[in-house]
Amino acid sequence: MTDDYLIQKKPFYALFIFSLPMIVGNLFQQTYTMADSAIAGRFVGEHALAAIGASYSLTNIFICVAIGGGIGASVIISQYFGAKRYEKMKAAISTALFSFLVISILLGAAGLLLSRRIMIALNTPADTLDLAVEYLNIYFIGLPFLFMYNVLSSIFNALGKSRIPLAFLIFSSLFNIALDWIAVTELRMGIAGVAWATLIAQGISAFLSFLVLMLQLKKIGTPVGPRFVREELLPMTKIALPSILQQSTVSIGMMLVQSVVNGFGSEALAGFSAAMRVESMCVVPMGAVGNALSSYTAQNIGADKKDRVVSGYHVSNWMVVGYAVLICAALELFHGPIIELFLGENGTAAALDTGNRYLTFMGWFFCLIGFKMAVDGLLRGAGDMTMFTIANLVNLGIRVVLAMALAPRFGIAVVWYAVPIGWSVNWAISYAQYRTGKWRVPLSQGPCHFHCIHSLLF
């Protein structure tokens, strides 16, 4: 298969073939995060599972910063690749790698200094606080590896090489699970063993991914040099900031309502944490469709084939429907055994009830986040970011306000009742922007320059 199949093959074939490795790879990635929780819950204890859950929304924000930043870089790289401007493409790659390495080191240092304060501010239950901080501190040490791994994966996707990050994800996931088992059940390292297993697996994968990228770029001509090109950073930032916000919406919202969930006690938190791990896996195919459509849109706009973008968008929505039906059926039929996988047969009644109620409700609504991610992916790939950003801010606001205002009075279920409402409004705003057709304006001519995004966010 040629590297330009996103601009040559039929939309369904191109999007399915491109997104499938991302789905499989991200499922493996989610599998090892689920294994972290399951091993901790079964072999360390329910408090360890609650501690990982209390940390999850915060750690996921950093993952989303890495993914969103990588997507921002990949859009620019995809457009250069589609236009066959290979020298500019390589300058963008080297700038992205250098920039995100520096950012990850700074964020990791800040996380180490503030982890306990953040967990206290989130009203983490006292019986899980020390475990959560221990887990977080090891996580922040490995943050540069996580950033580089995710940015490198986005670069491979921008070049149409989505099978390469798939191979590394499979390796990293299986290696991580093996290390989890050894560290927790054999070495008795507790929750620290779970964190160190993830750090080691991601570190090795990041190093190997970098070596493979250098080999791939040699095939296109001269390899990437160690240089920082400021002119390439600005258009990346224009895409990356709203992309980070979009990728982080769920995680930021969950972090802000985490104090509400924590207020219901560690047992409810454990059940909620287990259900959130399952939700993260269910969202994987929807996110892959959106990210695939982003690269598809960017390459086709770079090749001046905008009509293919519309066809690709319609195809992506049908893909979302198919995935949503499968997810709904799986959750409604097997929610009980899934939750017990984390908590064991001896899990407390409150934890089991919370997890099962969450999954049986949410199973009916994953099509909404799929539709949202598809239209967001198109706008992001086209560089049409203003309404995209507003839509995700509104989504975030709805979830936080409803959960914080109503959950203390009406119960923890309000936390997940607010989720599909936020997704629906997000989709409606982004879809209205898509219908205006403004996304068809080339990125270099569009009205949404970097200072517009900067003023909007800050």
Side-chain angles (χ1 to χ4, degrees):
M1 183 187 302
T2 59
D3 291 341
D4 61 351
Y5 65 94
L6 287 177
I7 58 178
Q8 298 293 342
K9 299 293 184 179
K10 291 184 178 180
F12 175 79
Y13 177 87
L15 286 168
F16 182 75
I17 293 299
F18 187 76
S19 64
L20 186 59
M22 287 193 287
I23 292 173
V24 175
N26 286 329
L27 285 176
F28 269 94
Q29 189 174 42
Q30 292 298 329
T31 297
Y32 82 68
T33 63
M34 290 179 69
D36 286 350
S37 296
I39 291 172
R42 282 178 168 268
F43 297 102
V44 183
E46 199 169 271
H47 285 93
L49 175 58
I52 293 177
S55 308
Y56 178 67
S57 58
L58 178 61
T59 60
N60 223 31
I61 289 175
F62 289 94
I63 294 172
C64 290
V65 171
I67 293 174
I71 290 172
S74 71
V75 168
I76 303 302
I77 293 166
S78 288
Q79 293 192 359
Y80 285 146
F81 183 77
K84 302 187 184 302
R85 301 176 65 186
Y86 297 131
E87 289 302 317
K88 297 282 286 182
M89 179 193 76
K90 292 177 181 181
I93 289 173
S94 63
T95 301
L97 291 175
F98 179 81
S99 299
F100 287 108
L101 177 61
V102 172
I103 291 171
S104 66
I105 292 172
L106 295 174
L107 289 176
L112 284 170
L113 292 173
L114 300 173
S115 57
R116 179 171 291 274
R117 294 180 184 178
I118 294 173
M119 288 294 97
I120 292 173
L122 292 175
N123 197 30
T124 303
D127 53 5
T128 62
L129 177 61
D130 289 339
L131 288 173
V133 173
E134 181 182 9
Y135 179 85
L136 277 174
N137 286 342
I138 299 170
Y139 174 89
F140 285 126
I141 292 172
L143 198 64
F145 295 129
L146 179 140
F147 261 69
M148 297 313 296
Y149 176 75
N150 281 282
V151 172
L152 286 164
S153 295
S154 294
I155 292 171
F156 281 123
N157 290 335
L159 301 177
K161 304 272 186 187
S162 57
R163 294 181 182 179
I164 293 177
L166 168 61
F168 284 116
L169 270 173
I170 293 174
F171 163 77
S172 177
S173 301
L174 296 178
F175 188 40
N176 191 101
I177 292 171
L179 290 177
D180 273 340
W181 184 266
I182 293 170
V184 174
T185 65
E186 300 296 330
L187 300 179
R188 305 294 180 184
M189 295 175 64
I191 197 170
V194 175
W196 282 112
T198 300
L199 186 154
I200 293 170
Q202 287 182 339
I204 293 174
S205 293
F207 177 72
L208 294 176
S209 295
F210 178 76
L211 293 181
V212 172
L213 177 63
M214 294 300 102
L215 293 175
Q216 290 292 322
L217 292 175
K218 282 185 178 180
K219 297 178 181 179
I220 305 177
T222 56
V224 172
R227 56 181 178 142
F228 175 82
V229 182
R230 183 178 179 182
E231 290 76 14
E232 299 299 337
L233 180 63
L234 293 180
M236 285 185 204
T237 306
K238 173 185 173 182
I239 308 297
L241 285 178
S243 295
I244 289 169
L245 181 64
Q246 185 266 338
Q247 293 287 326
S248 302
T249 297
V250 174
S251 299
I252 293 173
M254 289 315 303
M255 187 182 74
L256 293 175
V257 302
Q258 189 74 61
S259 59
V260 177
V261 176
N262 292 344
F264 289 90
S266 59
E267 293 180 355
L269 175 59
F272 182 78
S273 301
M276 282 297 298
R277 291 296 194 187
V278 179
E279 181 191 313
S280 296
M281 181 166 280
C282 295
V283 170
V284 163
M286 308 308 182
V289 170
N291 290 336
L293 188 61
S294 182
S295 293
Y296 174 91
T297 299
Q299 285 200 20
N300 280 280
I301 287 179
D304 197 24
K305 295 185 176 182
K306 298 183 181 67
D307 289 340
R308 279 178 55 83
V309 174
V310 177
S311 299
Y313 174 59
H314 293 159
V315 165
S316 70
N317 282 324
W318 283 111
M319 293 171 67
V320 163
V321 171
Y323 290 132
V325 170
L326 294 176
I327 291 168
C328 181
L331 292 183
E332 296 306 313
L333 293 173
F334 304 112
H335 57 86
I338 290 172
I339 292 298
E340 287 183 5
L341 175 67
F342 293 89
L343 299 171
E345 295 179 355
N346 297 321
T348 60
L352 291 168
D353 179 65
T354 300
N356 283 309
R357 289 168 62 202
Y358 187 104
L359 292 185
T360 53
F361 175 80
M362 288 300 301
W364 298 96
F365 297 104
F366 283 102
C367 60
L368 297 177
I369 193 171
F371 294 145
K372 160 194 139 45
M373 286 185 166
V375 70
D376 281 354
L378 186 151
L379 295 176
R380 182 174 60 240
D384 187 2
M385 306 302 290
T386 304
M387 292 306 298
F388 167 106
T389 306
I390 293 172
N392 282 278
L393 285 172
V394 171
N395 177 9
L396 173 62
I398 288 172
R399 296 184 61 179
V400 171
V401 170
L402 289 180
M404 299 188 76
L406 301 180
R409 180 177 179 183
F410 296 104
I412 192 173
V414 174
V415 172
W416 51 85
Y417 291 163
V419 174
I421 298 174
W423 287 346
S424 298
V425 176
N426 189 157
W427 170 82
I429 296 172
S430 293
Y431 181 73
Q433 179 65 11
Y434 160 75
R435 292 291 296 174
T436 67
K438 293 179 181 179
W439 58 269
R440 292 176 177 270
V441 179
L443 189 61
S444 60
Q445 300 175 20
C448 183
H449 296 292
F450 170 73
H451 68 269
C452 297
I453 298 295
H454 187 276
S455 62
L456 177 63
L457 292 178
F458 301 101

